[in-house]
């Protein structure tokens, strides 16, 4: 792949997989770096296993992330980013952006966020400058966390930065050098395995051994965000029975105290957070919709019942009351042993030694049994 081919922005067909690939991770978007921190908790797979080449079938991976990079920092850390910006990277690279993208057209006389300085002028290089240089040359572009995918907290109403998600900045029709759309992995922060599983799929695709990851209309991995929180929630059965929590100490459904789970695309209750443990509703927290494009504005105030919650809970109340009553009756009968479990002088289980499930007994076989009976 020559620099001139990269600079044209043309999609380069991949006939065979790559043996080596670089990940350039920039977390200088408007963020708290929580996605980088969360990602380190993944165990299936762990980022260490990918970098050390312990996962069969993946290309060699060179990771550059300010939290995890072995570089001393400064210009040594920036060197691969500068090479990629000049189109001089020897191997293909994946660009990972963490944090929302500010609008530098409204920054006045300053800048909103920067990453390194211009080598000639010494002036800060904005995140937007790096995205403009790197995204068209990247083999794949991945947005890590809700801030990077849809703008997140920094893009909420009233913000002065004009923040947005990466797809809003590059365009929803953007395609990388590998022909991929932006891969959005939302979460505030990302669920560790959700992100690493997606990145691993992209790496297998880069190796030529997997198809592109399937994405939904908001560019999220379909297999991770195709179901709602409610569908995987430990508390979902309480909703069906119209048994709702009135405070945060209750183990019951939390819709009436602010949970948006029935309409939020997220798998955290089913997957857990670390090692399969946790997930907001599983540990007593309400779902505030942090994986959604409308977060946080559409879900505030967080502790209030969702707009449709009062109607849905009212409609399900008579059904739930009836179901709870019927299930209670069945539960009582299910908690009783059969009547023939006793220590009396007679066998009352209904056992008949002459009964055969497949027709009448063979007289000759029965006679043989009788002759051999002690």
């Amino acid at each position: 792949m020559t620099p001139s081919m990269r600079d044209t922005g043309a999609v380069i067909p991949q006939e065979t997989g790559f043996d080596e690939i670089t990940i350039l991770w920039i977390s200088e978007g408007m963020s708290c770096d929580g996605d980088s921190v969360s990602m380190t908790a993944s165990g299936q797979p762990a980022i260490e296993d990918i970098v050390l080449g312990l996962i069969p079938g993946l290309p060699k991976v060179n990771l550059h992330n300010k939290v995890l990079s072995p570089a001393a920092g400064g210009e040594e850390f920036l060197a691969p980013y500068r090479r990629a910006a000049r189109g001089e990277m020897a191997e293909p690279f994946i660009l990972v952006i963490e944090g929302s993208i500010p609008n530098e057209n409204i920054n006045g006389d300053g800048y909103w966020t920067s990453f390194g300085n211009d080598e000639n002028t010494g002036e800060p290089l904005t995140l937007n400058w790096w995205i403009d240089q790197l995204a068209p040359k990247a083999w794949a572009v991945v947005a890590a966390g809700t801030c990077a995918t849809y703008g997140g907290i920094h893009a909420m109403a009233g913000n002065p930065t004009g923040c947005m998600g990466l797809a809003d900045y590059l365009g929803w029709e953007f395609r990388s050098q590998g022909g991929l759309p932006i891969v959005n992995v939302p979460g505030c922060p990302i669920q560790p395995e959700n992100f690493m599983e997606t990145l691993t799929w992209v790496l297998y695709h880069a190796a030529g051994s997997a198809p592109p990851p399937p994405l939904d209309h908001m560019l999220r991995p379909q297999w991770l965000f195709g179901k709602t929180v409610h569908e995987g929630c430990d508390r979902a059965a309480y909703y069906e029975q119209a048994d709702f929590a009135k405070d945060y100490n209750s183990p019951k459904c939390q819709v009436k105290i602010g949970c948006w789970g029935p309409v939020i695309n997220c798998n955290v209750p089913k997957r857990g957070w670390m090692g399969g443990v946790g997930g907001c509703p599983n540990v007593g927290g309400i779902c505030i919709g942090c994986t959604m494009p409308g977060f946080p504005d559409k879900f505030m105030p967080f502790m209030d019942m969702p707009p449709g919650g009062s109607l849905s809970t009212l409609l399900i109340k008579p059904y739930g009351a009836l179901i709870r009553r019927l299930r209670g009756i069945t539960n009582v009968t299910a908690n009783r042993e059969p009547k023939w479990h006793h220590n009396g002088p007679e066998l009352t289980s209904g056992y008949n030694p002459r009964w055969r499930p497949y027709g009448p007994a063979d007289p000759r076989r029965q006679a043989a049994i009788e002759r051999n009976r002690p």
Side-chain angles (χ1 to χ4, degrees), residues 136-187:
K137 302 178 180 71
W139 184 83
V141 177
V142 179
T146 299
C147 290
T149 56
Y150 309 123
I153 290 174
H154 307 88
M156 66 189 298
N159 84 85
T161 62
C163 271
M164 66 198 85
L166 187 58
D168 299 315
Y169 182 78
L170 289 174
W172 286 85
E173 301 303 319
F174 171 86
R175 293 296 181 270
S176 68
Q177 285 286 320
L180 296 173
I182 297 167
V183 179
N184 283 336
V185 188

Side-chain angles (χ1 to χ4, degrees), residues 93-232:
F93 67 92
I94 296 172
L95 176 64
V96 178
I97 297 295
E98 177 179 353
S100 52
I101 318 303
N103 185 350
E104 294 291 357
N105 294 317
I106 58 170
N107 62 17
D109 295 327
Y111 59 92
W112 295 119
T113 181
S114 67
F115 180 57
N117 297 327
D118 188 286
E119 294 178 286
N120 297 319
T121 66
E123 291 296 315
L125 291 171
T126 65
L127 168 71
N128 304 53
W129 183 90
W130 285 104
I131 293 174
D132 292 343
Q133 301 301 311
L134 296 177
K137 302 178 180 71
W139 184 83
V141 177
V142 179
T146 299
C147 290
T149 56
Y150 309 123
I153 290 174
H154 307 88
M156 66 189 298
N159 84 85
T161 62
C163 271
M164 66 198 85
L166 187 58
D168 299 315
Y169 182 78
L170 289 174
W172 286 85
E173 301 303 319
F174 171 86
R175 293 296 181 270
S176 68
Q177 285 286 320
L180 296 173
I182 297 167
V183 179
N184 283 336
V185 188
C188 188
I190 50 172
Q191 198 282 344
E193 269 82 19
N194 277 357
F195 181 81
M196 289 305 302
E197 189 175 295
T198 303
L199 182 62
T200 302
W201 191 317
V202 173
L203 289 170
Y204 270 120
H205 180 51
S209 56
L215 308 176
D216 67 13
H217 70 292
M218 297 305 295
L219 306 182
R220 296 169 294 199
Q222 288 180 357
W223 74 98
L224 299 176
F225 296 93
K227 301 292 184 182
T228 65
V229 166
H230 187 74
E231 289 172 297

Side-chain angles (χ1 to χ4, degrees), residues 22-371:
T22 291
I23 298 175
L24 298 178
W25 187 309
I26 299 179
S27 56
E28 268 60 40
M30 309 294 275
S31 77
C32 62
D33 290 347
D35 299 302
S36 284
V37 175
S38 182
M39 178 266 294
T40 62
S42 177
Q44 295 181 334
I47 187 65
E48 305 95 302
D49 294 341
I50 287 179
V51 173
L52 293 173
L54 301 181
I55 299 180
L58 293 188
K60 178 184 177 183
V61 174
N62 307 308
L63 174 66
H64 300 278
N65 172 294
K66 71 179 183 183
V67 177
L68 304 172
S69 177
E75 284 302 315
E76 181 182 342
F77 175 74
L78 286 171
Y81 295 87
R82 295 197 190 278
R83 287 198 304 273
R86 293 191 297 263
E88 297 172 356
M89 184 72 76
E91 67 279 353
F93 67 92
I94 296 172
L95 176 64
V96 178
I97 297 295
E98 177 179 353
S100 52
I101 318 303
N103 185 350
E104 294 291 357
N105 294 317
I106 58 170
N107 62 17
D109 295 327
Y111 59 92
W112 295 119
T113 181
S114 67
F115 180 57
N117 297 327
D118 188 286
E119 294 178 286
N120 297 319
T121 66
E123 291 296 315
L125 291 171
T126 65
L127 168 71
N128 304 53
W129 183 90
W130 285 104
I131 293 174
D132 292 343
Q133 301 301 311
L134 296 177
K137 302 178 180 71
W139 184 83
V141 177
V142 179
T146 299
C147 290
T149 56
Y150 309 123
I153 290 174
H154 307 88
M156 66 189 298
N159 84 85
T161 62
C163 271
M164 66 198 85
L166 187 58
D168 299 315
Y169 182 78
L170 289 174
W172 286 85
E173 301 303 319
F174 171 86
R175 293 296 181 270
S176 68
Q177 285 286 320
L180 296 173
I182 297 167
V183 179
N184 283 336
V185 188
C188 188
I190 50 172
Q191 198 282 344
E193 269 82 19
N194 277 357
F195 181 81
M196 289 305 302
E197 189 175 295
T198 303
L199 182 62
T200 302
W201 191 317
V202 173
L203 289 170
Y204 270 120
H205 180 51
S209 56
L215 308 176
D216 67 13
H217 70 292
M218 297 305 295
L219 306 182
R220 296 169 294 199
Q222 288 180 357
W223 74 98
L224 299 176
F225 296 93
K227 301 292 184 182
T228 65
V229 166
H230 187 74
E231 289 172 297
C233 183
D234 290 349
R235 302 166 181 259
Y238 288 107
Y239 184 99
E240 179 198 21
Q241 297 181 173
D243 204 357
F244 300 103
K246 297 179 181 179
D247 58 59
Y248 296 100
N249 295 315
S250 171
K252 299 177 181 180
C253 179
Q254 299 181 116
V255 165
K256 284 194 171 184
I257 54 175
C259 184
W260 284 77
V263 295
I264 302 303
N265 297 97
C266 183
N267 67 341
V268 164
K270 181 164 285 190
R271 183 158 222 171
W273 198 262
M274 292 176 63
V277 177
C280 309
N282 295 351
V283 294
I286 60 173
C287 174
I288 59 174
C290 77
T291 59
M292 301 298 282
F295 176 81
D297 300 83
K298 291 186 178 180
F299 308 102
M300 298 172 66
F302 290 137
M303 303 305 175
D304 289 359
M305 185 191 303
S310 56
L311 178 60
S312 65
T313 55
L314 179 64
L315 292 175
I316 202 170
K317 189 174 181 179
Y319 168 81
L322 174 63
I323 291 298
R324 266 186 293 154
R325 178 59 180 161
L326 294 176
R327 286 176 176 171
I329 295 172
T330 304
N331 179 260
V332 170
T333 63
N335 271 298
R336 292 175 180 168
E337 288 192 77
K339 60 184 179 181
W340 56 85
H341 291 189
H342 59 78
N343 196 30
E346 296 182 7
L347 178 63
T348 59
S349 66
Y351 171 73
N352 182 353
R354 295 188 176 278
W355 179 81
R356 293 293 183 274
Y358 302 108
D362 184 343
R364 292 171 298 179
R365 181 173 180 273
Q366 188 63 34
I369 292 174
E370 296 296 334
R371 284 196 303 272

